[in-house]
Amino acid sequence: MEHTPAARVGEEEYDSIRKAVEAAKEAAKSGEEDTTVYLLRDVTESVKLTDNAQEKTQIVIDLNGYTLSPEGGYIFNLLGVDLKLTNSTPDKGGMIASEDAKGSRAVYVNNTTKLSTSPANYVKLTLKDLTIRGFQGALEGGAVYVNGSADIKISNCIIADCSAAGNGGALFLRPNNAGWTDSPYSLMIKGGKITGNTAGASGGGIYVGGGYSENTVVIDGTQFENNKSTTYGGGFAFNGNNNTNEATDITIQDTEFKGNNAGSNGAGANIGWAKKAFLSGVEFTENRAVSNGGGLRLYNNKDYGQDASITDCTFTENMAVKGSGGGLYLYEGCLLQVEIADCMMSENTALAGSGGGIYSYNTKLTMSKCRVIGNRSLNAGGIYVHSNKEAVRSVISDSEIRGNQVPASADTCGGGLYVYYYVNVINTTIMQNKAYNGGGVFLNQYKGILKNVNIKENQAYGNGGAVYMSGSWGGSNNPSASNYYTASLQGCKIVQNKCPASAVYIGTGTNNVEISGSGEENSEDGWIPTEISGNTGRGIQIEGR
C-alpha cells in the first residue's frame, strides 16, 4: 500500500513533519526562498524544535486545511527557534486538536537562556487563521505555555475547549524571573475567539504574569466567551508584581467578554498591578463572579501606582454573587487613578455587596459622560465610591444615574449613589432610584460638593427621598479636625422625590451643611439657585429637630 507523504517543502515530500522541518532549516540556511512546510494530510506527531546557532531559524508551517494532533505531551516544543503556524485554506479546516492526550499542549516554550533579554533572542511565536481545540490537563497553559522572553502574535484564531489544572486554560505567559534577570515579552491577540476554556486556578481563557521589563499586552477585536476559572479572571487574568518595578502595559480594545465565570473575582477580566491599563470599546456582558467584579476587577497595592482608562465600554447584566461591583470593581491604592468616560453600566447586580454598577474603594476615580442605569445591590444600587483622603478625591460629572435600587428593608442606603468622604458630583442627573434611606444619594462622613445636580423622582421608604447625609461615625465640631464633615449643595434641583419623612435628611454628626446657588450673577451661566420643591414629606429635615 502506497504511503501518503505528511508534508512538503517546495517540491520535495516527506513522511513526517520532523523531517520536513529539518529540510526547511537547511533550505533557509542555504538561502532558498520557499522554506514553508505544507501539510499534505492529517498528522499525529510531536516535534521538538531547537537551534543553537547564533541566529535563530524561523520555521513556517502551513496546516493547509489539515489537522495536527499530539503524539506525546506537546506538538511543538520550541527552544531557540521561531515558529509561525498558519493556515492558507481555512475553508477546508485547519486545526490543532487533542482529544485523548491528557496533559498535552499545542505549543510549549521555555526560553530561560540568559541571553533572552535581548530582542534578538526572543522566541517568536505566530499563530494565524487556525483553530486549537481540546487540549486538557496541563498544569499551566492548556493549549499554549510560554515561560521567558517571547514575542507572541495570535491572529484570527479560535482557542476552544482547553483546560489547565493551574493558570491559563487556553494560554499561559509569564517572564522567567530566575534571579539573574527579567525576561521581557509582548503579546498581541487580534480577532478570533477564546471560548469554553477552563482553569483550575486563574485565567480561564488567558493568564499573563507581570515582570520588571517593559512588557506589552494588546488584545484587539477578540471574543472571550464562556470561559471559567476556579479563582480570578474567568476570561482574562493579569497578575503583575506587587512592587514599584512592574512595567507591563495592557491595552484591550473592541473586545467582548461574555458569559465568563470566576470562582472569586473578575469574571470577565481581572487586572492587578499593571503599570497602565487601557480599555476602549470593550463589552462586558453576562459574566458572573462569586466574589467581586462581575464584569471587570482592577486593583493594585496601596503603596504603588497604576493608571487605568476605561472609555466607550459597556457593562451589561454582569453579577457579583457574594461581593461588590456587579459591573466594575476598583480596589486599593492611593495611586490607582482611573478615568471612566462615555461608558454604560446597565442591569448589573451585586447580590450581597455594594455597587451594582460600580464599586470604587480608595481609588482616584474621574468619571464623566457615563450612564448608570437599572443596577441592583444590597447597598449603593448604582455606584459606591469610598475616597478616604484628599489625594484620592473622586469626581463624577456630566453623567446619568437612573433607575437603580437596593432592597426596601431597613438600613439599605443609596439607591443611586453612595459616597464616603472626598467625592464631588457635578452636572449630573440622579433620578428614579430607590432605597430605604437616601433614595437618590447617601452621603456618609462627606467632605465634598454636589454642584448643578438634578436629583428628581427618587424614592426612600425611610428618610431622604433625594439625599441622606450621615456623620454617624463620630464627626468633630472642630473645623480643623480631620473628621470634620462638610457637605455643600450648590445649584441643585431637588424635585418630585418621594419619602414619608423628607427629601433632604441631615443626620447626626453632619457638622456643616451648605445649601446655596452656584455660579456668579455676571458669569456666562449666571446664578443657578438650589431648588427644593414638589417633594412628598418635608423639604429638609435635621435629625432631632
Side-chain angles (χ1 to χ4, degrees), residues 42-110:
D42 294 342
V43 177
T44 298
E45 191 173 343
S46 295
V47 182
K48 187 171 185 178
L49 303 176
T50 63
D51 197 334
N52 295 319
Q54 186 69 25
E55 295 183 5
K56 297 196 311 299
T57 304
Q58 182 184 50
I59 302 299
V60 180
I61 298 177
D62 188 334
L63 298 185
N64 199 24
Y66 293 103
T67 298
L68 260 177
S69 301
E71 189 176 46
Y74 54 82
I75 295 179
F76 296 104
N77 184 347
L78 307 186
L79 181 61
V81 173
D82 297 337
L83 174 64
K84 180 178 180 180
L85 286 171
T86 187
N87 180 37
S88 60
T89 56
D91 54 317
K92 289 174 54 181
M95 182 183 299
I96 300 176
S98 175
E99 295 183 1
D100 301 320
K102 292 185 177 181
S104 64
R105 297 183 179 96
V107 181
Y108 177 86
V109 180
N110 191 24

Side-chain angles (χ1 to χ4, degrees), residues 460-476:
Y461 306 98
N463 289 301
V467 181
Y468 188 113
M469 304 181 196
S470 173
S472 59
W473 284 25
S476 169

Side-chain angles (χ1 to χ4, degrees), residues 123-433:
V123 168
K124 294 180 175 63
L125 172 64
T126 302
L127 307 174
K128 184 179 180 183
D129 299 329
L130 51 86
T131 297
I132 301 176
R133 185 183 299 276
F135 289 83
Q136 299 180 10
L139 179 60
E140 311 273 16
V144 179
Y145 173 94
V146 180
N147 177 50
S149 298
D151 181 0
I152 303 171
K153 292 181 173 64
I154 301 174
S155 178
N156 297 322
C157 291
I158 297 171
I159 306 180
D161 305 325
C162 298
S163 66
N167 300 313
L171 182 148
F172 175 91
L173 167 63
R174 72 175 175 198
N176 177 51
N177 299 324
W180 41 265
T181 186
D182 184 40
S183 42
Y185 60 76
S186 66
L187 171 65
M188 163 68 85
I189 302 175
K190 187 171 180 60
K193 192 172 185 178
I194 311 296
T195 181
N197 304 287
T198 304
S202 302
I206 292 175
Y207 176 93
V208 179
Y212 305 126
S213 300
E214 294 183 359
N215 309 309
T216 59
V217 176
V218 178
I219 300 172
D220 183 2
T222 304
Q223 291 178 286
F224 288 77
E225 186 172 318
N226 297 328
N227 302 287
K228 183 178 180 181
S229 66
T230 301
T231 56
Y232 57 83
F236 172 81
F238 175 82
N239 187 24
N241 289 300
N242 181 9
N243 58 49
T244 57
N245 294 319
E246 176 57 54
T248 302
D249 290 344
I250 295 176
T251 300
I252 304 175
Q253 58 192 26
D254 301 328
T255 288
E256 181 183 22
F257 294 88
K258 183 176 181 180
N260 301 285
N261 287 268
S264 60
N265 303 306
N270 190 90
I271 301 173
W273 299 307
K275 181 183 178 182
K276 294 182 180 179
F278 304 96
L279 290 87
S280 175
V282 181
E283 298 178 8
F284 294 89
T285 308
E286 298 174 4
N287 302 287
R288 184 179 183 273
V290 172
S291 296
N292 302 307
L296 169 66
R297 177 182 178 236
L298 285 173
Y299 66 97
N300 79 326
N301 182 282
K302 64 178 65 177
D303 296 322
Y304 308 113
Q306 170 183 327
D307 293 333
S309 173
I310 303 171
T311 306
D312 195 27
C313 296
T314 61
F315 295 76
T316 308
E317 296 184 17
N318 303 285
M319 180 180 291
V321 179
K322 297 180 180 180
S324 298
L328 172 63
Y329 184 92
L330 309 171
Y331 184 75
E332 247 353 297
C334 300
L335 301 178
L336 177 59
Q337 303 183 55
V338 179
E339 295 183 1
I340 304 176
D342 300 300
C343 291
M344 166 71 89
M345 315 277 178
S346 63
E347 305 298 330
N348 302 287
T349 305
L351 284 178
S354 300
I358 301 172
Y359 178 96
S360 175
Y361 184 87
N362 283 358
T363 296
K364 189 174 183 179
L365 171 65
T366 302
M367 173 177 160
S368 64
K369 299 179 182 179
C370 292
R371 303 179 71 198
V372 182
I373 298 175
N375 302 283
R376 306 287 186 271
S377 69
L378 187 62
N379 274 302
I383 305 172
Y384 176 97
V385 184
H386 183 292
S387 298
N388 70 351
K389 61 183 69 177
E390 183 65 46
V392 291
R393 180 178 290 277
S394 293
V395 178
I396 299 171
S397 66
D398 302 298
S399 295
E400 178 184 6
I401 303 171
R402 173 167 58 87
N404 306 283
Q405 69 180 54
V406 299
S409 55
D411 297 327
T412 60
C413 305
L417 173 65
Y418 188 123
V419 301
Y420 266 107
Y421 304 115
Y422 296 87
V423 182
N424 293 342
V425 184
I426 303 169
N427 298 334
T428 289
T429 296
I430 302 173
M431 64 183 293
Q432 298 173 358
N433 305 284

Side-chain angles (χ1 to χ4, degrees), residues 443-463:
L443 307 175
N444 198 343
Q445 304 167 72
Y446 187 59
K447 300 181 180 183
I449 299 170
L450 274 66
K451 184 176 182 180
N452 301 341
V453 178
N454 188 2
I455 308 174
K456 68 177 184 179
E457 301 173 11
N458 302 284
Q459 183 173 0
Y461 306 98
N463 289 301

